[in-house]
């Protein structure tokens, strides 16, 4: 089994020119694939017209976390609270998501990934929850504690594929200030935070599934969070049959 991981780009300046804007994938995400004998294939950020070709030979695709989505890919003017963006990644991942759906390739999104999948398929995204989300009880979704420590609970639809895998509640980590707003056609909400913020979406057959938290930073100490990945691998394996 070979699963693609779309790369992030290191935006920090470096004295070594070969490392400037280097493409990378989160090590804990690579580690969980390797543990389960899945070959990770890191997809570098290339022009969007190469998206379909980039998926050839893959059995599934993961869109991981990263920087904010550039406003032009949200059909919006920039919020004054928007964080760092890197539009070449958006220009690759949006057609990559559409190509994966066209191929009916199992697709899993993490944090930024849920936002990219939702926006690419016709939904909308909050650029900044604290200034845009209307709720008096808004949780601190950008936690200050370590990213491998969970900070709030989510309620999960027990009839969803995510619910079948992990149950009706989960304690999760939270490192985001953008989030799903209007859900894209064909997707539905399967998990929410106590303040109502969307925490997971999937389609009817769960060939598309995405979560707002970072299970790749929790699975080492949480069998429940690891099941999110093993359930995805099972769906990918079924697609190979």
């Amino acid at each position: 089994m070979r699963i693609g991981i779309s790369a992030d780009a290191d935006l920090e300046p470096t004295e070594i020119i070969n490392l400037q804007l280097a493409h990378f994938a989160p090590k804990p995400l690579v580690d969980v694939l390797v543990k389960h004998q899945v070959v990770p294939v890191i997809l570098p950020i290339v022009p969007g017209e190469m998206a379909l070709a980039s998926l050839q030979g893959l059995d599934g695709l993961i869109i991981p976390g990263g920087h904010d989505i550039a406003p032009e890919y949200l059909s919006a003017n920039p919020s004054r609270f928007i964080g760092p963006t890197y539009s070449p990644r958006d220009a690759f991942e949006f057609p990559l998501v559409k190509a994966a759906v066209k191929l009916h390739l199992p697709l899993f999104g993490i944090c930024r990934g849920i936002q990219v999948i939702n926006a690419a398929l016709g939904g909308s995204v909050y650029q900044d929850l604290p200034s845009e989300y209307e709720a008096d009880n808004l949780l601190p979704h950008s936690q200050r504690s370590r990213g491998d420590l969970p900070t709030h609970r989510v309620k999960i639809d027990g009839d969803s594929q995510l619910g079948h895998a992990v149950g009706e509640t989960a304690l999760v980590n939270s490192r985001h200030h953008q989030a799903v707003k209007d859900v894209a056609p064909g997707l539905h909400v399967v998990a929410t935070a106590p303040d109502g913020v969307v925490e997971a979406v999937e389609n009817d057959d769960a060939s598309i599934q995405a979560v707002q938290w970072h299970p790749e930073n929790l699975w080492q100490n949480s069998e429940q969070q690891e099941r999110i990945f093993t359930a995805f691998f099972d769906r990918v394996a079924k697609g190979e049959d």
Side-chain angles (χ1 to χ4, degrees):
M1 184 186 302
R2 294 164 57 87
I3 293 180
I5 302 173
S6 60
D8 199 356
D10 185 358
L11 303 187
E12 295 297 323
T14 172
E15 294 180 358
I16 304 173
I17 193 167
N18 290 345
L19 298 182
Q20 291 178 12
L21 296 178
H23 298 171
F24 68 93
K27 185 178 184 300
L29 180 56
V30 171
D31 288 346
V32 72
L33 270 65
V34 171
K35 177 183 176 181
H36 292 278
Q37 302 299 306
V38 176
V39 177
V41 180
I42 314 304
L43 304 180
I45 300 167
V46 296
E49 55 265 28
M50 299 179 70
L52 185 61
S54 297
L55 297 175
Q56 298 306 307
L58 298 181
D59 303 302
L61 174 66
I62 297 174
I63 308 291
H67 300 93
D68 285 359
I69 300 173
E72 59 263 35
Y73 289 90
L74 301 176
S75 301
N77 291 318
S79 161
R80 63 193 180 99
F81 299 108
I82 196 167
T85 64
Y86 185 59
S87 58
R89 182 177 177 186
D90 303 316
F92 176 54
E93 285 186 339
F94 273 58
L96 192 68
V97 166
K98 294 175 183 177
V101 172
K102 180 179 179 180
L103 295 173
H104 204 66
L105 199 69
L107 176 61
F108 181 55
I110 296 172
C111 195
R112 168 192 158 92
I114 189 175
Q115 300 155 20
V116 168
I117 290 169
N118 186 63
L121 299 182
S124 63
V125 169
Y126 291 106
Q127 290 188 59
D128 178 65
L129 279 172
S131 63
E132 298 177 27
Y133 188 72
E134 296 181 0
D136 294 332
N137 63 334
L138 182 65
L139 295 175
H141 285 273
S142 184
Q143 68 186 57
R144 294 185 178 183
S145 56
R146 284 175 53 95
D148 58 355
L149 299 175
T151 61
H152 73 75
R153 292 198 174 273
V154 296
K155 182 178 180 181
I156 302 169
D157 180 357
D159 292 327
S160 66
Q161 291 296 320
L162 181 63
H164 293 162
V166 304
E168 296 186 0
T169 63
L171 189 60
V172 305
N173 50 3
S174 194
R175 300 202 312 274
H176 65 100
H177 78 120
Q178 298 195 322
V180 169
K181 185 177 181 181
D182 300 310
V183 180
L187 300 180
H188 45 269
V189 177
V190 297
T192 55
D195 55 14
V197 169
V198 174
E199 291 283 344
V201 298
E202 59 187 44
N203 64 349
D204 287 337
D205 65 3
S207 60
I208 304 171
Q209 188 181 85
V211 299
Q212 183 58 74
W213 65 93
H214 285 269
E216 80 279 14
N217 295 136
L218 299 175
W219 69 268
Q220 299 93 333
N221 298 307
S222 170
E223 181 182 346
Q224 182 192 45
Q225 294 296 314
E226 188 172 4
R227 287 200 300 270
I228 294 175
F229 292 103
T230 55
F232 176 59
F233 302 152
D234 288 345
R235 293 194 298 275
V236 172
K238 290 178 181 177
E240 293 178 309
D241 296 340

